[in-house]
Each structure stands twice: as C-alpha cells, then as structure tokens.
Amino acid sequence: NGNTALALGVMASGMELCSMYPITPATSASHYLSDVFEKVGGLVHQAEDEIAACAFAIGASYASKCTVTITSGPGYSLKQEAIGLAVMAEIPLVVVNVQRGGPSTGQPTKAEQGDLLTAIYGSHGDAPKVVMAPATIEECFYSMITARRIAESFNTVVVVLTDATLATSQQPFTRPQFNEAWLAPPIDQSAVPAGAKPYDWDATTGMARRFIPGQPGGMHTVTGLAHDRQSRVAYDPDINHESLRARSLKLAALQKTLLPPEVVGESKGDLLVVGWGSTKGAIEEAAASLRAEGKKVSSVHLRFLQPMQPGIKEIMQGFKKVMTIETNWSDDPKDEIIDETNRRYSQLATLLRARYLVDVDCWTEVRGQPIKPSTIRRVLLDKLQK
C-alpha cells in the first residue's frame, strides 16, 4: 500500500531518521519502518506529540542526518511553527502529510485533498516550501527519493502530500532496482574556507552552502530570527529583505530544472482535465472512455504544486475549456445562493486561476471516498455539453 511504499522509499533515499507521532491514516508507515529501519541503520523516534516530532527531525537534520517526519492534517497544523524554523534556518527537512477529511478531527479514516493550500501558504510570514504530490502507490516510493534530494540540494523543506486513498490501497508495481545514486553523498566535514559565511546566498539562485556542526571554521549561531549572511540577528530592513528574496529564489531555481507535465491525449481539444494526487487513475479512465467515443478530452496530472512545472499555461491554452477534478470543497454553481461573486473554487483551481489567469472551472466531491471513473465521466460529459 501507499504507506508501505513511502516507508520503503524513505530507506531507499538514504534518510536515516523518521520522527513522528501516531496519527491516522499515516501511522502504518512508522509501524513498517519500526520493523525494518534499524536493519539499514535507520531510527524511528516516536515523540510525545507532533510538535516535538517535527522539532526532533529538524535538530537531527541540522546535525547532518537525513530526516523525515510523517503526519496527517491535524498533525501538520501543529508542526507549522517548527516547519517555519526549518525554512528560516534553511535546514533540510522532508514532511509527509497523509491527508484525511477535515477540518478539526474531521474524518480520520476517510480520504480528502484538503491540505494543498495549507502546505503551500500555511505559515506566518513568507515561508516558501517545495510541495509534491505522488499520484500512484509506485510514485509514493520514488517521491521520497526525490524529496530527500531536493531538501538537501536546496537546504529547504519539502512537503509530500499523499492521502488516505493512496495510504491504504494495495497495488503491485515493478520491484525497484536499487541505485546508489538515490543516496545522499557523504557529509562534507572538511574545513570551511576562510571568509565563508553560513548563509552566503547566491544572487541568482538564493542557495548557500550547508554548514555542518563540527566543521572546522564553521562555528555560527543558528537562529529562528531573521538573520544576515553571518547568521546574526537582522535588525536592518535591507538584510531582512535580502534573506526573504534568497529563500524565494530557491523555488524559482528548482522550477528551472523541472520538465512540463505530460498531456494524456491530444495536445489540443475541447476539454482539459487537470488533477493531482490519488485522482489520477479515475480521471484518466474517464477521459479515455470519452476519447474512445470521439470526444476531444485530454488530461494532465501535476506532481509538483510548488513550484509548478513549466508549460502549464501553454498546455491549458490549447483547449476550449479547462477544469480540475479534486476531493476538496468547492461551491456548486447550481446552488441558488451561489454566483460568480461568491463561489469558492477548489484548491488547485484557485491556484491555476490566480497564477495563469485562465478561466479554470472545477468539480469536486468530498464524500471521504475515491471518486469513481463513471462519476467523472458524467461530469465531463456535462461540461462538454455546456
């Protein structure tokens, strides 16, 4: 299942520590790791609560370990301040959020895609994070390898969004052939060159060398306060602006390395369906059945939600209509009180509309269950006929 695939991916990525507090539907990932992680030199730490789990992972990462903390929606909310610390101090961290129904305690055993905007924007101040969303159980495995590499390459936080559907579904996939390139290179403990600064941000990419405790010449104070290149508390407005700019530039630098998403079907047509996460199979099955009847329907599935992959606007512009299919809330325009001035759009549709200024419609279902291909087919037919 998806949680087992996540756990296997954690080990394959070279991560050495998983720190978490039990929470449905994420807990079985830690159960699996608890059984096998020590055999490959890893450690599972069960903290006293979600906040402590995140802080423990950040501390271990600061001390050079590859770390992940796994949780679900309520736990992710509790981790927000600590995640902000990792962003400010530029400490690598992978956070997995196995989404469930919300808000509050919500539906602990039911699936939902309600945490996308929280993962991207849920912090006080500007705290840019990479946000990924595997779409299959196999991708749950490989997403951990990618997330670890990004976190350590860019000294940043990478959030991986799965959900209860992926976590508990079972599906065979080809056994991965281990590749040593998946693992992190050995920690550089050589002496820091004279004059090097712990936050010597590159003017183009915002990136800086990672200092590891114990490196000769690398002593500095780590703080969650705004800081300058020497990691000293920043009271100067220009220094604060410079550090915010550097952390934001990392996302732009990563975006330059990404490939455009694949379009399933023709590159131009009457309707493009956009999805993310566990809805992939149902969307593609529904769209394929309509193409078999001569309908000009294509689909695209996004794996990176922040930064988004290049070419998305150009893809959408090739279609007369664009809509998302998601399992988070959106208002039904058929409701008597809903109109264009008060309608709430689904989360991915909101992002696409704001970023690309394309009229993206949406249809959502929040029943705590996977959406059936037959239901999506009916929705797409209705959209084509309007």
Side-chain angles (χ1 to χ4, degrees):
N1 63 34
N3 279 354
T4 305
L6 281 173
L8 289 166
V10 166
M11 293 189 290
S13 73
M15 284 190 271
E16 300 166 272
L17 173 81
C18 172
S19 181
M20 67 181 291
Y21 184 80
I23 183 170
T24 304
T27 307
S28 65
S30 66
H31 286 175
Y32 184 84
L33 282 172
S34 296
D35 289 337
V36 298
F37 208 7
E38 289 187 4
K39 297 177 182 178
V40 294
L43 174 70
V44 176
H45 171 72
Q46 180 172 317
E48 59 267 35
D49 56 40
E50 289 88 350
I51 300 171
C54 193
F56 190 98
I58 292 168
S61 182
Y62 165 66
S64 82
K65 297 297 181 182
C66 310
T67 63
V68 60
T69 183
I70 306 175
T71 190
S72 188
Y76 188 83
S77 297
L78 289 167
K79 294 177 191 286
Q80 289 285 11
E81 185 179 3
I83 290 172
L85 168 62
V87 173
M88 175 63 84
E90 301 185 36
I91 297 172
L93 179 68
V94 177
V95 183
V96 178
N97 179 352
V98 185
Q99 300 165 97
R100 71 190 207 188
S104 188
T105 310
Q107 292 186 306
T109 63
K110 303 297 182 182
E112 194 173 293
Q113 294 179 315
D115 297 350
L116 176 56
L117 294 181
T118 297
I120 294 176
Y121 298 116
S123 177
H124 56 282
D126 187 57
K129 301 167 286 290
V130 176
V131 180
M132 301 169 52
T136 66
I137 292 173
E138 183 175 16
E139 287 180 15
C140 286
F141 173 85
Y142 288 103
S143 68
M144 292 292 94
I145 299 165
T146 303
R148 198 277 306 157
R149 297 182 71 173
I150 292 173
E152 294 202 315
S153 296
F154 291 84
N155 292 338
T156 194
V157 176
V158 179
V159 181
V160 179
L161 294 174
T162 72
D163 60 44
T165 297
L166 287 173
T168 58
S169 299
Q170 296 189 1
Q171 180 184 62
F173 64 88
T174 303
R175 180 182 295 274
Q177 296 299 310
F178 177 71
N179 186 338
E180 287 193 5
W182 294 346
L183 303 177
I187 295 297
D188 181 6
Q189 288 283 12
S190 60
V192 174
K197 301 171 184 177
Y199 296 99
D200 200 5
W201 299 299
D202 181 87
T204 301
T205 65
M207 295 168 65
R209 172 177 173 169
R210 181 185 180 190
F211 280 28
I212 301 297
Q215 279 186 286
M219 289 183 64
H220 66 284
T221 300
V222 174
T223 176
L225 291 164
H227 54 81
D228 62 13
R229 289 173 180 257
Q230 293 284 11
S231 194
R232 294 178 298 213
V233 177
Y235 295 106
D236 184 279
D238 290 339
I239 295 172
N240 185 58
H241 184 89
E242 180 185 37
S243 65
L244 286 166
R245 173 181 178 271
R247 290 190 290 273
S248 184
L249 284 177
K250 292 181 186 182
L251 294 184
L254 173 61
Q255 192 267 351
K256 292 293 186 181
T257 72
L258 302 179
L259 297 173
E262 176 188 4
V263 178
V264 180
E266 296 298 322
S267 60
K268 297 184 183 298
D270 294 327
L271 176 61
L272 177 70
V273 189
V274 187
W276 65 282
S278 62
T279 57
K280 179 178 184 289
I283 289 174
E284 291 186 357
E285 182 176 332
S289 71
L290 291 175
R291 284 197 300 276
E293 298 174 4
K295 304 291 193 299
K296 296 180 179 180
V297 179
S298 299
S299 65
V300 66
H301 221 73
L302 304 184
R303 270 75 170 186
F304 280 86
L305 287 312
Q306 180 165 278
M308 287 192 179
Q309 295 152 266
I312 293 174
K313 183 173 184 178
E314 292 76 11
I315 291 171
M316 293 193 295
Q317 288 176 333
F319 294 84
K320 295 177 183 177
K321 298 176 181 178
V322 181
M323 70 182 303
T324 68
I325 299 290
E326 304 176 63
T327 56
N328 54 62
W329 181 258
S330 67
D331 289 330
D332 187 343
K334 296 177 183 177
D335 286 344
E336 182 178 357
I337 200 172
I338 299 300
D339 58 39
E340 279 304 312
T341 66
N342 62 16
R343 184 187 178 193
R344 295 175 60 215
Y345 285 80
S346 62
Q347 296 188 23
L348 178 57
T350 297
L351 291 173
L352 294 175
R353 290 171 66 88
R355 178 173 292 276
Y356 301 113
L357 302 182
V358 173
D359 186 13
V360 179
D361 197 1
C362 60
W363 181 87
T364 64
E365 188 175 81
V366 225
R367 300 180 182 276
Q369 300 173 340
I371 308 177
K372 296 179 180 179
S374 58
T375 301
I376 297 175
R377 174 189 162 86
R378 172 180 52 80
V379 170
L380 301 186
L381 273 173
D382 183 61
K383 183 67 178 176
L384 286 168
Q385 293 166 0
K386 288 183 179 178

